[in-house]
Amino acid sequence: ITFRHTWVKNGILKRADVPSAFKGYSPQEQEMILHILQRFLLIHPSTSQQYLVPAVLPKERPEQLATQWSAKLGKGQRQTGRLYLFPFIPLGLFERVMAATMNAKEVRVESAWFDGVLLRVGAEQALVQVNRVREELLIRVRSPIRTGGSKEIGHRRVNALLRTLVDTADTIVEGSYGVGSRINRL
């Protein structure tokens, strides 16, 4: 895909920019073009108002990721996750997972690049990454540990965020690629 313009920024094409991006085509033809691009997994709706265009996402991890997601778990944080080990990464799998997770309720995208996305929901963060060499998809969720008296609170929210991300990935893997029985989930 070649885009020489300013319509796609950091891999996102806004719905409002579609008429400019496909200038010279009727609205019906623009819808057909969008449908074809989706069908060939070149774009993915990430909300009703924007599309993810993986081919123009930055290839390198953003520099600010080091400050947004520390290599070490911070004091007062917990991390949970899921690791998927594939015999091969199906074409378009990660891009579909990324688009679907970006569309999850209350999710704010903090960073996105070709092999990963950093998401935030309230105080929780999720880092979803693919390693195309090791054929794996990794979902990690971090949340502050909050205590209330002798009872810990906040754990359900982490489990809910992790469950949403894992359910999304499982649905895409099982429903779209049929490789579910050949992957290991750790």
Side-chain angles (χ1 to χ4, degrees), residues 11 22 24 34 38 44 46-47 49 71 81 94 97 103 105 108 115 119 125 128 135 154 159 166-168 170:
F22 300 115
L34 290 172
Q38 288 178 63
H44 306 272
S46 60
T47 70
Q49 298 303 312
F94 181 66
V97 169
N103 198 23
K105 187 177 181 184
R108 190 182 82 208
D115 292 326
L119 309 166
Q125 281 186 304
V128 183
E135 310 288 354
N159 287 338
V166 167
D167 287 350
T168 298
D170 283 348

Side-chain angles (χ1 to χ4, degrees), residues 82-129:
R82 170 68 62 93
L83 173 65
Y84 295 83
L85 301 172
F86 293 87
F88 63 93
I89 298 286
L91 184 64
L93 170 80
F94 181 66
E95 293 79 359
R96 291 187 66 201
V97 169
M98 183 187 294
T101 57
M102 290 169 79
N103 198 23
K105 187 177 181 184
E106 299 178 20
V107 167
R108 190 182 82 208
V109 177
E110 292 193 327
S111 292
W113 64 103
F114 188 68
D115 292 326
V117 63
L118 179 63
L119 309 166
R120 178 175 290 281
V121 175
E124 289 84 30
Q125 281 186 304
L127 182 62
V128 183
Q129 293 179 280

Side-chain angles (χ1 to χ4, degrees), residues 15 18 22 27-45 51:
R15 183 81 171 143
V18 168
F22 300 115
Q28 296 81 10
E29 291 169 325
Q30 292 174 10
E31 288 301 317
M32 188 178 357
I33 291 168
L34 290 172
H35 177 73
I36 290 168
L37 291 171
Q38 288 178 63
R39 182 93 170 139
F40 285 96
L41 305 177
L42 298 173
I43 66 170
H44 306 272
Y51 295 92

